[in-house]
Amino acid sequence: MNAAVKELEDFRREVASWLKANKPADPGFLLPQTFMEVGSEEQLEFLREWQHKVWSAGYLGMAWAKEHGGQGVDAIYQSVVDQEMRRQAVPICFNVIGLGWAGPLINDIGTEEEKQRYLKGILSAEDIWCQGFSEPDHGSDLGNARTRAERDGDDYVINGSKIWTTMGNYAKYMILLARTNPEAERKYDGLSFFLAPMTVDGVSTRPIRKLTGEYGFTETFFDNARIPADCLMGGEGAGWKIAMKTLQYERGAEAGAAGGLAFVRIVIDDLIQQLRDVTRDGKPVLEDPLIRDQLVSLIMEEKAISLGDRRSGIPALTSDYPMSLPLSNKLRWTEYARRMRQFAINAQGADGALFVGDDRAREGGFWQRAYLNSFSATIGGGTSQVQANIVAEHVLGLPK
Amino acid sequence: MSVIGSTAMRFDEEQSMLLDYARSFCADRGGLNAAREHLETPLEYSPGVWDEMVAMGWTGIGLPEELGGSGLSIGAAVPVAESLGKALMGTPLLSTLLAAQLLLRADSKAAAEVLEGIAGGDAACVAELESEDWSALPRTTVIDDAGMLQGQKRLVMDATSARWIVVTAVAGADTALAVLDATTLDDDAINPRVLIDNTHRAADITFNGVTPLAVISGASVLAALRDYRLLGALLVAAESTGAAAACLDVTVDYLKTRKQFGKLIGSYQALKHPSVDMLTMMDSARSFVYHASSLLGSEPLDKDQEVACRMAKAQATDALKFAGDRAVQFHGGMGFTWDCDAQLFIRRAQGAQQQFGDAQHHRQRLAALLLDD
């Protein structure tokens, strides 16, 4: 074993034992499985405390500079942390828009001043971030954003509204895409990108109730909200390019995230475990030939995605369509997750009809809630249909 | 332990060179035009191309050096099989490699002469099926008291071009392998069948008292037969993955050039999205076959290897079936014609399903491996 490998192994053991010792006890309420499901103050405070604790221990932002609150070591250390977090099924690090998208963006293209101002608060969970891309009339069609930002002295004045703002009611900052020039020849050139404070007059949010009955996002309104001009990132008219870069983080084609467990990965083993004690035709449902055939198909689908991750790191084995695996990852994983959870409910038999709040619901209605919530991933960040267009156009070269 | 099991994906310099070389060789010698030249001829390949493959040492893949082989694992045949599939090349290479594996794993000493012949370029095949049941053991093909082979086999791939034929048979109470020199068969013993996949050849064979060169029996035969079937599934999977990739290329090229209602048809989501499904199914198949290839050695196959081979076959032939099916449909009226290349793929797809078990057959066995402990 060479020195670097040994160092990593020592680090892995250290992380594992820290997590074991510090993993929070069951709080007695259902915890969010993804950052898009934080819907109550008690969940928020629980998760904020947890993320702060992980960061204080030195396990978030491993690859970010020390002066910005990170650890200044190789990104491989973050992968080790994330793997151990997943393995021990600890709660998520919920400030995902900050950790995964806004933070990496600021780290990559931000000024030194922006890095000083924002990065540490993201890691410590002091500053929650949200994303202002989608608008009520055009979800995935970002090029048509209508929210206005007009320069007035040292400020920009924002008017309009954004929707599906995850954690909009808790966020201190928003990455905001707004139109600075409605006259621009190309609509894309009229867009600008802001690191916008949410705590100014004229910004208000209305919680939106989800299909699960919970709250998790908001509609956000800007009514002559004044934000300082230095919130503009990268110059007027550069908004589209920066938004696209942000989406690359979001869609997983580019690394750079500060790490932490972003969502609870519900794997096929969890499902199989459940199927062992459900009965159908007087026998365990796991013995039903049709269920078995479908279950094996799901196992294969999950394994294929894992193998694809491995393969995407070996250039010789991806030569036909080098961008295929990274670009289709979001599409494949989220579609798989939704169908797998739906299958889990069906396999419960009559009790599949129960929901969270019923005391006979299996695992407190975990699968029912997970299924309904799973649409947030096949719709959010670009619907699967939009993702499929992206793969078709960028990987297969099909015309727009 | 997770039901997902091993996700190994190893790839070394030697494999990389073989992959590069196989791809460019097959693209050069094979391809749709070359495949079409052989559609309605008794042999599905040009003897000159076979000689070139032999010269490159491909028939020695998976055989140890002392038998004249390359010393590479049979997993190294995966990129070659994939390349053959991508170029729709129908040669007896896969049948030959599989016959060699069966003999090697059953009793390499008893079959040394034949294995050396194969490494030197003799084509070979395995005669196994007696019915439509992929998983059945031989029942009616027997080695009689005089040591002669009697019976009939079905759908023997590449029987017409093989120099050596390995026949599964009943010898007393055992399952045995009879190794035959094809030249000792009766003139009318080999009856070619008409296949839905017209880029491959298979025949039924009748044995009316043929004397084998060697008979191998004992416990090793059943284990070797099991491994042969799994390796066969894997190599057909690799071949199918290549064919699915070629099918995708042909289809995407058409979607980029054909106009209807004033627009390129590739711009319509009704065609775009299933094209992405073709891509992702093919991608999964490639991941499975490379994964299986990474695991293989010369030892009897363990559970991870068995799972990998079965998943590869289930995925790859389904991927090719879907790709071929959509290719015909997307070509519209043209797609229904002999001249459209889509027919080559859908016919290949239906043929590949029936070699070494279809997707459902393998999922059923995977269920037992993964869900019952």
Side-chain angles (χ1 to χ4, degrees):
Chain A
M1 199 186 292
N2 62 40
V5 173
K6 180 166 180 341
E7 209 169 282
L8 267 186
E9 282 312 305
D10 289 347
F11 178 70
R12 184 185 294 279
R13 267 192 294 278
E14 173 200 314
V15 175
S17 78
W18 186 88
L19 287 171
K20 194 170 260 175
N22 290 280
K23 179 178 176 177
D26 185 343
F29 50 85
L30 273 180
L31 279 173
Q33 292 157 356
T34 79
F35 70 101
M36 289 170 278
E37 297 163 33
V38 183
S40 69
E41 293 289 337
E42 63 182 359
Q43 289 178 334
L44 177 77
E45 285 319 311
F46 178 93
L47 290 175
R48 191 197 287 270
E49 198 177 304
W50 168 240
Q51 186 185 319
H52 192 274
K53 197 168 176 180
V54 173
W55 171 70
S56 300
Y59 297 140
L60 271 188
M62 303 299 295
W64 292 8
K66 272 203 154 134
E67 61 267 34
H68 304 137
Q71 295 294 318
V73 295
D74 193 273
I76 184 101
Y77 285 86
Q78 193 67 59
S79 314
V80 170
V81 173
D82 297 354
Q83 282 164 17
E84 288 304 312
M85 286 182 142
R86 179 156 294 139
R87 192 164 303 165
Q88 300 206 26
V90 298
I92 57 173
C93 293
F94 78 114
N95 196 13
V96 169
I97 294 170
L99 293 168
W101 311 334
L105 182 73
I106 294 167
N107 223 348
D108 282 356
I109 65 166
T111 62
E112 183 54 33
E113 203 218 326
E114 285 167 337
K115 291 177 190 173
Q116 292 286 356
R117 198 191 307 173
Y118 299 116
L119 291 179
K120 193 171 163 186
I122 288 173
L123 294 171
S124 69
E126 192 171 324
D127 303 338
I128 312 301
W129 283 68
C130 66
Q131 183 185 40
F133 283 14
S134 294
E135 295 188 2
D137 289 334
H138 15 79
S140 294
D141 182 10
L142 301 180
N144 273 319
R146 294 272 192 276
T147 295
R148 284 279 281 132
E150 281 172 282
R151 182 73 186 243
D152 180 29
D154 289 339
D155 293 332
Y156 278 94
V157 180
I158 317 288
N159 278 292
S161 67
K162 295 286 177 179
I163 198 163
W164 321 129
T165 321
T166 297
M167 289 187 286
N169 43 338
Y170 306 131
K172 185 168 169 187
Y173 296 108
M174 168 186 274
I175 44 174
L176 170 67
L177 188 65
R179 190 162 299 279
T180 40
N181 179 8
E183 316 297 331
E185 213 166 290
R186 285 176 70 246
K187 60 184 180 182
Y188 304 104
D189 296 337
L191 292 167
S192 296
F193 197 92
F194 297 90
L195 304 172
M198 296 284 281
T199 49
V200 298
D201 288 345
V203 180
S204 59
T205 57
R206 178 182 68 82
I208 300 171
R209 197 172 185 196
K210 297 184 299 182
L211 73 176
T212 60
E214 304 163 300
Y215 293 90
F217 45 33
T218 67
E219 183 167 2
T220 306
F221 304 93
F222 300 91
D223 180 16
N224 285 321
R226 299 185 81 88
I227 62 172
D230 66 358
C231 296
L232 176 71
M233 193 182 208
E236 277 195 19
W240 178 254
K241 225 174 69 192
I242 301 176
M244 287 304 107
K245 188 161 177 63
T246 314
L247 288 181
Q248 282 177 8
Y249 299 118
E250 183 172 347
R251 289 169 180 160
E254 204 156 314
L261 194 59
F263 53 92
V264 177
R265 194 157 172 145
I266 303 170
V267 295
I268 197 81
D269 298 278
D270 303 315
L271 168 60
I272 295 169
Q273 198 50 43
Q274 166 190 264
L275 297 184
R276 291 191 194 283
D277 55 351
V278 177
T279 304
R280 182 165 305 175
D281 293 330
K283 290 182 294 195
V285 69
L286 209 57
E287 291 175 21
D288 180 305
L290 206 56
I291 289 278
R292 288 163 76 84
D293 190 67
Q294 291 168 341
L295 197 50
V296 169
S297 295
L298 288 170
I299 293 170
M300 283 179 55
E301 209 173 329
E302 183 169 316
K303 183 158 182 159
I305 296 169
S306 304
L307 289 172
D309 286 346
R310 295 287 175 102
R311 183 157 69 83
S312 67
I314 306 173
L317 301 184
T318 61
S319 56
D320 277 5
Y321 303 99
M323 283 312 290
S324 176
L325 293 167
L327 270 185
S328 54
N329 189 285
K330 188 240 182 208
L331 172 66
R332 299 185 62 174
W333 177 252
T334 59
E335 285 286 321
Y336 161 72
R338 197 193 70 250
R339 279 185 284 104
M340 184 262 262
R341 291 161 197 197
Q342 204 277 330
F343 177 84
I345 303 171
N346 265 17
Q348 289 180 3
D351 283 351
L354 298 171
F355 197 62
V356 179
D358 188 283
D359 59 9
R360 212 180 61 227
R362 281 189 180 270
E363 297 172 68
F366 174 90
W367 289 100
Q368 283 79 348
R369 178 168 172 262
Y371 166 57
L372 294 182
N373 266 323
S374 63
F375 285 93
S376 66
T378 54
I379 296 172
T383 62
S384 293
Q385 289 63 40
V386 169
Q387 294 293 134
N389 285 349
I390 291 171
V391 174
E393 287 156 20
H394 294 268
V395 178
L396 297 176
L398 290 172
K400 275 192 192 299
Chain B
M1 187 58 200
S2 165
V3 70
I4 294 296
S6 166
T7 53
M9 186 77 68
R10 282 181 288 270
F11 199 66
D12 62 26
E13 194 99 336
E14 213 165 25
Q15 285 170 299
S16 186
M17 281 171 57
L18 186 57
L19 175 63
D20 272 354
Y21 202 78
R23 273 186 190 159
S24 67
F25 176 83
C26 293
D28 191 49
R29 305 296 196 281
L32 302 173
N33 291 334
R36 279 188 177 277
E37 281 175 27
H38 298 289
L39 287 185
E40 291 167 291
T41 58
L43 213 57
E44 82 275 31
Y45 63 99
S46 307
V49 171
W50 175 255
D51 293 342
E52 285 185 90
M53 291 181 177
V54 170
M56 291 185 292
W58 285 4
T59 56
I61 295 173
L63 287 175
E65 284 168 20
E66 60 266 25
L67 290 171
S70 66
L72 293 171
S73 141
I74 186 64
V78 158
V80 175
E82 189 193 5
S83 303
L84 288 170
K86 190 151 192 213
L88 282 191
M89 289 174 89
T91 67
L93 183 65
L94 301 188
S95 297
T96 302
L97 293 177
L98 289 167
Q101 286 300 308
L102 179 56
L103 291 175
L104 182 72
R105 285 161 190 263
D107 187 346
S108 59
K109 284 205 182 74
E113 181 197 341
V114 174
L115 289 173
E116 283 168 9
I118 288 173
D122 293 345
C125 67
V126 177
E128 190 199 357
L129 293 178
E130 293 176 2
S131 72
E132 73 282 11
D133 182 353
W134 298 296
S135 56
L137 287 170
R139 293 176 56 176
T140 58
T141 305
V142 299
I143 295 166
D144 65 19
D145 295 341
M148 309 255 271
L149 190 65
Q150 310 279 357
Q152 204 180 39
K153 291 289 185 178
R154 282 194 193 190
L155 282 168
V156 181
M157 295 303 291
D158 299 304
T160 40
S161 47
R163 169 81 167 79
W164 310 103
I165 303 176
V166 184
V167 188
T168 61
V170 179
D174 292 338
T175 298
L177 301 178
V179 186
L180 304 187
D181 181 337
T183 58
T184 62
L185 292 176
D186 295 344
D187 286 346
D188 57 353
I190 297 182
N191 301 297
R193 308 300 312 188
V194 180
L195 299 184
I196 190 169
D197 172 11
N198 44 8
T199 61
H200 278 321
R201 299 289 177 271
D204 292 352
I205 311 180
T206 306
F207 309 101
N208 287 323
V210 186
T211 308
L213 281 178
V215 174
I216 303 169
S217 59
S220 67
V221 170
L222 283 179
L225 193 55
R226 165 186 171 276
D227 286 2
Y228 154 79
R229 287 171 171 174
L230 291 170
L231 295 171
L234 174 62
L235 293 189
V236 173
E239 192 188 30
S240 299
T241 301
C247 181
L248 180 61
D249 288 346
V250 164
T251 309
V252 165
D253 281 348
Y254 185 70
L255 298 181
K256 284 194 238 185
T257 48
R258 168 77 176 167
K259 276 191 173 176
Q260 282 277 270
F261 309 106
K263 287 175 76 174
L264 289 170
I265 61 173
S267 67
Y268 294 113
Q269 290 190 349
L271 302 178
K272 248 179 198 172
H273 292 185
S275 299
V276 171
D277 292 337
M278 287 161 73
L279 172 70
T280 54
M281 288 176 79
M282 189 276 290
D283 256 338
S284 292
R286 290 189 81 192
S287 298
F288 282 124
V289 296
Y290 289 142
H291 166 59
S293 155
S294 305
L295 295 180
L296 288 177
S298 55
E299 298 300 308
L301 270 59
D302 66 15
K303 182 176 163 180
D304 272 344
Q305 292 162 334
E306 177 175 0
V307 166
C309 290
R310 293 193 188 282
M311 284 188 174
K313 180 61 164 71
Q315 180 68 36
T317 43
D318 268 0
L320 179 56
K321 187 172 64 173
F322 181 72
D325 180 286
R326 293 297 81 190
V328 172
Q329 178 69 23
F330 289 3
H331 279 81
M334 268 294 296
F336 194 62
T337 66
W338 181 265
D339 286 342
C340 178
D341 291 326
Q343 63 103 341
L344 301 175
F345 295 105
I346 190 60
R347 294 177 68 137
R348 166 69 73 97
Q350 291 306 324
Q353 282 287 321
Q354 313 313 333
Q355 288 184 266
F356 299 101
D358 67 5
Q360 209 170 29
H361 167 91
H362 288 287
R363 284 199 300 266
Q364 194 183 359
R365 277 145 187 83
L366 283 164
L369 287 165
L370 299 171
L371 303 176
D372 310 331
D373 333 286

